[in-house]
Amino acid sequence: VEVTQTEIHQLEQERENTSALLELERDRLALAERELDRAETLVQREALSATRYDEQARVTLQQRQAVVALENQLHLIPSRLENLKARLSRSRTLVDQAQEDLKDTKIVAPYAVRIHETEVELHQQVGVGQSLVVGDGIEAAEVTVQVQISDLRQLLAQSRDDTADLDLSSQLDLGAIDARATLTADREVGWDAR
């Protein structure tokens, strides 16, 4: 919208400049035509050569061409201006439609998630069905637990089996362990674990 408004302003300025230039070129044409009339009078009196007359005629013709070119340029400005105004109107309609669409837009995850990757930038336009983020559900999470050997011995002692199997999952009923995962930075924040 702003670009089109700037183009309209430039075109209106161009119209003013072209009109001023056309006025100057018309004055120059009037001078050239007066010079051509004088040259014609002098040629009739045989006081001026035909070559000098032809030179003045060529200058006058060039000046006429300059005036016609500026007039044509000036005649094209209204249609260019109407084209820009129509483009501005379309742009404003698109902006209004986008604002309405934005009001109707609602982004909802189907379940509680932790976002770990964004696929769009702030203020970036996105299409229908385009992926915005990648996230993981927070209903369950896998946590790596480090247990000190002394604590592991204590767990093994509680569920001692006489078999010499080194597979801990066969020696321990891991589902029976009551545990809680907490943040090291804040022990108040935690989740029940199993």
Side-chain angles (χ1 to χ4, degrees), residues 13 19-20 27 45-46 50-51 60 81 83-84 92 95 104 106 109 118 137 151 154 160 170-171 175 179 185 189:
Q13 187 62 49
S19 294
D27 290 345
R45 293 183 193 164
E46 295 180 5
T51 305
T60 304
L81 193 57
N83 184 19
L84 285 173
R92 285 184 174 149
V95 167
D104 295 338
K106 188 175 185 180
T118 58
D151 294 335
Q154 191 177 24
R160 193 52 143 172
S170 66
Q171 293 185 28
V189 178

Side-chain angles (χ1 to χ4, degrees), residues 14-29:
E14 181 181 330
R15 178 174 42 195
E16 289 177 27
N17 294 346
T18 304
S19 294
L21 189 58
L22 179 59
E23 191 175 323
L24 290 173
E25 291 297 325
R26 283 180 177 154
D27 290 345
R28 288 181 64 193
L29 176 59

Side-chain angles (χ1 to χ4, degrees), residues 51-88:
T51 305
R52 290 283 294 143
Y53 176 79
D54 290 344
E55 285 176 19
Q56 186 57 44
R58 192 175 8 258
V59 167
T60 304
L61 182 61
Q62 288 173 344
Q63 195 58 42
R64 283 182 188 148
Q65 286 175 331
V67 168
V68 168
L70 287 173
E71 286 173 343
N72 289 341
Q73 187 177 346
L74 203 54
H75 290 308
L76 292 176
I77 288 177
S79 64
R80 289 172 51 201
L81 193 57
E82 288 304 314
N83 184 19
L84 285 173
K85 287 180 180 178
R87 198 165 84 196
L88 178 62

Side-chain angles (χ1 to χ4, degrees), residues 38-50 52-53:
R38 278 189 221 117
E40 187 175 339
T41 302
L42 292 173
V43 165
Q44 289 172 355
R45 293 183 193 164
E46 295 180 5
L48 184 67
S49 69
R52 290 283 294 143
Y53 176 79

